[in-house]
């Protein structure tokens, strides 16, 4: 399963403050040895690592057998996982010397044509043909003067006659998608800037650090102003702050395009397109290159656990059928998230998701992923209304979605085989054994799992009287993790900062934070206790909690407000009325100015965090 591109990767070059590319291309070439995906091992090491698994050998051997069979099929029909994960070179818009080929998998469609600004949206102008696998295709030759048939930046859609009627969809593999001012639906954009405008990476990707210290960030809300911030502002203002604080990785949320801003990026509509609210694909590349210059890893919060149920802009009912990319019926619908669930047993879904992960690593030079909602993927009950007690039969049985687990094994194979320095982190609340054991040994293959029990433990304690805090119980929760399985510890992430929840700072100090954080005023016992405990909670969590540490932006100085996205009034499916906030951005930003102000107590909390990160850097 050798990957042919085994010599060198071009890095792409210089940038001015506006994110424009200079005309001189001083390309950085980085030697990379042959990159290949190892063939499946025996998958038996897990029983030596954890003998308790022997009682579930039948399930685990079945799981590994399914994985090996899938590897064999991919080798046989696609020429290996390295080739299979390059679907973006076959699907969507492919530019060649002679023109543009466009391909789309839409087996449910009865007819299809490509429409857009380039042909005045005429559904009869560019009719597509279908092959036996349900893939529609059309080739558009270059114009007479040699220019591309579709101009860069123009709007495109696929027009289909489907079982649900006539439908215009944004291409599934679209690389950029934009909402025009005053319009509700998004438009697919043909994104192929001329060579001199393409961003060229200049800086090599940093080596994976021994201990990750992750700064979890959302570009849109990273301004002190009540606006949607840009990739360029984040690059110039926030990245230096993260470096100064002593973190060595930034994890960016809400990268994949999502038409509903308040979904925090978790209801993805266009999987290959970076969110256009914050700028262009080249702006995002410039941000990542700047992070690499500062020595920061850039991790992407990737969503492969579900997709937006938006029929207008996303994959839902793409070809007019319920079971296209997703399971049909109730199995394909997540009632709590109100979203669609992928069918991981489908060949083309595997191609789509594997290629998607590879696209972000290859095209944007991300250094790895935090996979969102993995618990929901691995079980047919999605972890809803299930209390995991640690009994192994809860993990290995009929409720396990083996197709999804096999997908996770394949994607980790691909990531670690082709990008040996990349990091993969899984968000799993269930505590699935073998989650962070290499695939060849029979595991799921993640490098780290998010240690979600720690944050829950702190919230549980904060509701008790001080004298009811048990040090033994705290230490047990911090250190209770599986042998040889690495964890990312955190006291609080973005989850605790959302409306409806409370940050640790707010649990501790509540409304006193509004009146007694100025150094020229007397403090209160609640503020003194709160600041001291806020520091200790973070220190104990970092010291005992795992092999990596995570902080959500603003929590390093005890950000006083929660996050509330701009939204209008809405009525839930059950009839309940939820009042909006008049589409206000006031609570959808981070007040970094509070942490920087030398006349406020927030500054001391921020300085403590900085000292903590630098201490860890020095002493591990």
């Amino acid at each position: 399963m050798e990957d042919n591109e085994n010599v060198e990767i071009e890095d792409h070059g210089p940038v001015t403050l506006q994110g424009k590319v200079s005309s001189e291309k001083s390309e950085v070439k980085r030697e990379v040895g042959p990159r290949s995906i190892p063939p499946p091992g025996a998958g038996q090491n897990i029983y030596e690592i954890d003998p308790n698994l022997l009682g579930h050998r039948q399930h685990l051997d079945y799981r590994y057998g399914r994985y090996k069979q899938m590897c064999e099929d991919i080798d046989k029909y696609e020429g290996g996982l390295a080739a299979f994960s390059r679907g973006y070179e076959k699907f969507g818009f492919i530019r060649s010397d002679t023109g543009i080929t466009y391909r789309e998998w839409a087996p449910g469609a009865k007819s299809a044509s490509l429409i857009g600004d380039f042909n005045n949206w005429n559904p009869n102008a560019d009719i597509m043909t279908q092959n036996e696998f349900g893939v529609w295709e059309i080739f558009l030759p270059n114009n007479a003067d040699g220019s591309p048939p579709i101009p860069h930046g123009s709007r495109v859609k696929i027009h289909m006659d489907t079982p649900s009627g006539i439908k215009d969809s944004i291409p599934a593999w679209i690389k950029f998608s934009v909402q025009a001012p005053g319009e509700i639906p998004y438009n697919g954009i043909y994104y192929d800037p001329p060579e001199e405008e393409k961003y060229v990476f200049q800086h090599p990707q940093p080596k994976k650090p021994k201990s990750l210290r992750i700064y979890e960030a959302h570009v849109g809300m990273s301004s002190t102003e009540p606006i949607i911030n840009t990739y360029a502002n984040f690059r110039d203002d926030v990245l230096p702050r993260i470096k100064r604080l002593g973190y060595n990785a930034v994890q960016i949320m809400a990268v994949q395009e999502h038409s509903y801003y308040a979904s925090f990026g978790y209801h993805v509509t266009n999987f290959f397109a970076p969110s256009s609210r914050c700028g262009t694909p080249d702006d995002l590349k410039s941000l990542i290159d700047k992070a690499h210059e500062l020595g920061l890893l850039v991790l992407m919060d990737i969503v492969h656990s579900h997709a937006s149920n938006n029929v207008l802009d996303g994959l839902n009912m793409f070809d007019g059928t319920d079971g296209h990319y997703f399971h049909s019926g109730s199995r394909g619908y997540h009632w709590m998230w109100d979203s669609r669930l992928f069918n991981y047993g489908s060949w083309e879904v595997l191609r789509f998701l594997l290629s998607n992960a590879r696209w972000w690593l290859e095209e944007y030079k991300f250094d790895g992923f935090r996979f969102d909602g993995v618990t929901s993927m691995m079980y047919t009950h999605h972890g809803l209304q299930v209390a995991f007690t640690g009994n192994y039969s809860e993990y290995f049985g009929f409720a396990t979605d083996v197709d999804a687990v096999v997908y996770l094994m394949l994607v980790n194979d691909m990531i670690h085989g082709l990008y040996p320095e990349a990091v993969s982190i899984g968000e799993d609340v269930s505590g699935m054994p073998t989650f962070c054991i290499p695939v060849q040994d029979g595991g799921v293959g993640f490098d780290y799992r998010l240690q979600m029990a720690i944050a829950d433990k702190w919230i549980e304690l904060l509701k008790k009287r001080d004298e009811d805090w048990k040090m033994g119980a705290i230490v047990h929760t911090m250190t209770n993790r599986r042998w040889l399985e690495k964890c990312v510890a955190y006291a609080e992430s973005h989850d605790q900062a959302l409306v409806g929840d409370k940050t640790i700072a707010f649990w501790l100090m509540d409304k006193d934070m509004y009146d007694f954080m100025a150094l020229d005023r007397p403090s209160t016992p609640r503020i003194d206790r709160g600041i001291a405990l806020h520091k200790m909670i973070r220190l104990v969590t970092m010291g005992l909690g795992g092999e990596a540490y995570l902080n959500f932006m603003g929590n390093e100085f005890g950000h006083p407000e929660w996050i509330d996205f701009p939204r209008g009034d809405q009525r839930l499916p059950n009839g309940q009325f939820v009042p909006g906030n008049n589409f206000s951005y006031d609570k959808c930003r981070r007040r970094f100015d509070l942490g920087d102000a030398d006349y406020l107590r927030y500054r001391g909390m921020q300085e403590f965090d900085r000292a903590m990160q630098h201490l860890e850097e020095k002493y591990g």
Side-chain angles (χ1 to χ4, degrees), residues 400-413:
T400 309
D401 186 337
V402 176
D403 286 339
V405 177
V406 167
Y407 164 67
L408 294 170
M409 294 163 80
L410 290 168
V411 78
N412 277 313
D413 252 358

Side-chain angles (χ1 to χ4, degrees), residues 297-497:
L297 264 65
V298 188
L299 306 177
M300 173 176 163
D301 195 346
I302 197 169
V303 185
H304 282 181
S305 45
H306 63 136
S308 169
N309 67 1
N310 178 332
V311 176
L312 214 54
D313 305 319
L315 292 180
N316 190 18
M317 302 289 289
F318 183 87
D319 69 350
T321 64
D322 187 43
H324 181 199
Y325 281 93
F326 312 107
H327 287 291
S328 55
S330 60
R331 191 177 172 193
Y333 179 71
H334 196 297
W335 59 266
M336 190 183 251
W337 295 346
D338 188 24
S339 56
R340 296 303 313 268
L341 298 167
F342 286 106
N343 175 2
Y344 302 101
S346 158
W347 193 262
E348 291 302 331
V349 170
L350 284 179
R351 185 199 310 276
F352 183 81
L353 293 175
L354 287 165
S355 301
N356 186 243
R358 180 150 183 198
W359 169 252
W360 295 107
L361 296 171
E362 191 75 35
E363 181 72 13
Y364 287 88
K365 306 267 189 275
F366 276 100
D367 301 290
F369 300 112
R370 172 231 190 231
F371 280 85
D372 173 66
V374 176
T375 304
S376 173
M377 297 169 72
M378 295 193 300
Y379 308 98
T380 51
H381 52 59
H382 312 303
L384 300 175
Q385 298 168 326
V386 176
F388 288 96
T389 62
N391 182 329
Y392 277 32
S393 54
E394 294 165 349
Y395 306 113
F396 310 117
F398 292 118
T400 309
D401 186 337
V402 176
D403 286 339
V405 177
V406 167
Y407 164 67
L408 294 170
M409 294 163 80
L410 290 168
V411 78
N412 277 313
D413 252 358
M414 186 274 292
I415 292 167
H416 294 124
L418 300 180
Y419 307 89
E421 286 293 313
V423 176
S424 78
I425 302 167
E427 184 198 26
D428 170 37
V429 72
S430 75
M432 157 84 77
T434 75
F435 193 73
C436 297
I437 301 288
V439 177
Q440 287 84 345
D441 294 336
V444 184
F446 284 98
D447 293 318
Y448 299 88
R449 68 149 38 92
L450 284 167
Q451 183 63 311
M452 302 170 84
I454 295 175
D456 294 343
K457 184 67 176 179
W458 289 124
I459 300 302
E460 176 197 317
L461 288 175
L462 290 166
K463 293 175 181 173
K464 294 181 174 179
R465 300 179 309 159
D466 288 11
E467 49 270 46
D468 295 331
W469 289 37
K470 300 275 189 291
M471 286 306 291
I474 294 172
V475 172
H476 175 73
T477 302
M478 296 292 144
T479 56
N480 181 23
R481 49 191 185 271
R482 297 185 185 284
W483 185 52
L484 295 181
E485 299 203 38
K486 293 193 285 194
C487 290
V488 178
Y490 60 93
E492 50 188 341
S493 69
H494 68 270
D495 288 328
Q496 285 74 33

Side-chain angles (χ1 to χ4, degrees), residues 95-137:
R95 177 83 194 278
S96 68
D97 293 340
T98 53
I100 295 171
T101 305
Y102 169 58
R103 291 190 191 94
E104 196 74 75
W105 176 61
K110 300 174 213 165
S111 68
S113 61
L114 181 61
I115 55 173
D117 293 333
F118 73 99
N119 65 7
N120 294 321
W121 301 89
N122 179 358
N124 303 313
D126 294 293
I127 308 289
M128 302 177 73
T129 57
Q130 188 183 30
N131 73 8
E132 71 271 33
F133 301 111
V135 176
W136 295 88
E137 181 176 333

